[in-house]
Amino acid sequence: MGQNHPFDKATQLTEETPGVYKGHTSEKYANMIGPFGGVIASTLLRAVLEHPERLGEPVALTINYAAPIADGDFNITATPTRTNRSTQHWYIVLSQNAKTVITGTAVTAQRRDTWSTTEIAFPNVPAAENVALPSIEGAPPWLQNYDIRIIKGAPLALSQTQSNNAHDSTTLQWIQDNPKRNLDFLSLTSICDAFFPRIWVRREKMVPIGTVSLTIYFHADSETLKMNGNREVLGHTRALKFYDGFFDQTGEIWSYDGNLLATTSQFVYYKE
């Protein structure tokens, strides 16, 4: 893993003792309040990937955002709670000032060559170069680190029209790191959170939101991710239900040539 790209600097960890790491928030990946949740999820996953006892590669990750992260230093502890023949289960905690802020679980595994198929179809979309870049003037700093080209379902603030007349919350978008960076598990994790909140699309206005829990299932190994290089990936997401202050957000991330790389879901708090 290189350390010169802004993303790698933002997720950089210093090992204190085996499984205990120190990190620091990045101004480049700041959100409206605190850091961008995707880069925090990637940082917790990095603690697992850099652990000397780690077995295999990530297949599942869940991050629970228990409290806002303050700008500054933080500590991460990654603990392998159970190691089996081919799978390993992890518990991860991010703390500040001796208080738990983020908790997470992960599963790593050694995959075996066996029957595989993809049931869901790759969306019919125009190529990334044929989709215009929206203006993100005044947007939070983290957005400056991504090239996002929205095919369908832009928030009203980024829409080229007065109203999307949104009847659903579906978004299709091409996305890649800016500057370009080769895809790996860490950048894929962050990209899984790089969608605008579904309620902003459906309600066509910005309301206060906060992710409560984010889950990612990885459907590719590191060699498959390398094949994508630094090319864009396609994100497809939608909400299934908004109910009394919370909504879900489910999605897929596809390689530029149509390989399903990850599926993701999150539960989000909102206030109207």
Side-chain angles (χ1 to χ4, degrees):
M1 302 175 189
Q3 295 298 323
N4 294 323
H5 193 280
F7 178 80
D8 294 291
K9 293 179 180 178
T11 60
Q12 186 174 0
L13 293 172
T14 302
E15 186 180 58
E16 302 284 291
T17 59
V20 179
Y21 305 89
K22 178 173 285 186
H24 194 282
T25 57
S26 169
E27 292 182 0
K28 286 184 174 291
Y29 286 85
N31 206 342
M32 290 180 289
I33 299 176
F36 167 48
V39 81
I40 292 299
S42 300
T43 307
L44 269 72
L45 180 59
R46 184 185 281 275
V48 172
L49 295 182
E50 294 190 355
H51 197 289
E53 297 179 26
R54 190 251 302 180
L55 170 74
E57 296 185 334
V59 294
L61 176 71
T62 293
I63 303 297
N64 300 308
Y65 300 88
I69 298 177
D71 292 334
D73 292 336
F74 55 79
N75 294 301
I76 295 178
T77 301
T79 306
T81 58
R82 171 87 184 203
T83 300
N84 301 315
R85 291 180 61 185
S86 60
T87 61
Q88 192 172 47
H89 297 257
W90 294 83
Y91 184 60
I92 323 163
V93 176
L94 184 150
S95 60
Q96 284 184 314
N97 301 317
K99 293 185 177 180
T100 297
V101 181
I102 308 288
T103 65
T105 59
V107 180
T108 58
Q110 293 179 326
R111 292 181 181 270
R112 54 190 177 89
D113 189 13
T114 186
W115 178 84
S116 304
T117 189
T118 303
E119 291 202 1
I120 192 171
F122 182 64
N124 182 17
V125 294
E129 57 266 26
N130 296 327
V131 182
L133 273 170
S135 171
I136 55 174
E137 184 179 354
W142 74 267
L143 274 169
Q144 308 295 331
N145 297 283
Y146 290 100
D147 178 318
I148 299 177
R149 299 168 186 259
I150 302 177
I151 303 159
K152 177 186 185 297
L156 186 57
L158 299 181
S159 177
Q160 302 300 312
T161 62
Q162 288 298 109
S163 172
N164 294 321
N165 294 316
H167 301 293
D168 62 44
S169 62
T170 301
T171 289
L172 280 160
Q173 64 183 33
W174 290 108
I175 181 171
Q176 64 185 144
D177 286 289
N178 179 30
K180 292 183 178 181
R181 179 187 184 279
N182 288 338
L183 190 68
D184 60 15
F185 286 112
L186 297 179
S187 58
L188 178 58
T189 294
S190 190
I191 285 171
C192 281
D193 192 38
F195 294 104
F196 294 99
R198 297 302 83 211
I199 196 165
W200 292 4
V201 176
R202 181 63 189 274
R203 298 284 286 155
E204 298 191 323
K205 64 180 181 178
M206 293 178 64
V207 301
I209 63 95
T211 299
V212 177
S213 185
L214 166 70
T215 293
I216 300 167
Y217 298 119
F218 300 100
H219 301 294
D221 59 18
S222 56
E223 291 302 314
T224 302
L225 299 185
K226 284 180 182 179
M227 292 174 63
N228 198 81
N230 63 8
R231 293 286 302 270
E232 67 279 354
V233 295
L234 180 71
H236 184 199
T237 188
R238 81 290 290 162
L240 301 182
K241 186 167 184 175
F242 303 86
Y243 178 61
D244 285 357
F246 295 90
F247 66 88
D248 68 325
Q249 181 168 306
T250 64
E252 309 95 45
I253 303 294
W254 300 81
S255 69
Y256 74 93
D257 56 355
N259 189 4
L260 183 63
L261 303 177
T263 50
T264 180
S265 62
Q266 57 181 277
F267 209 54
V268 184
Y269 161 84
Y270 69 91
K271 184 177 181 181
E272 282 256 44

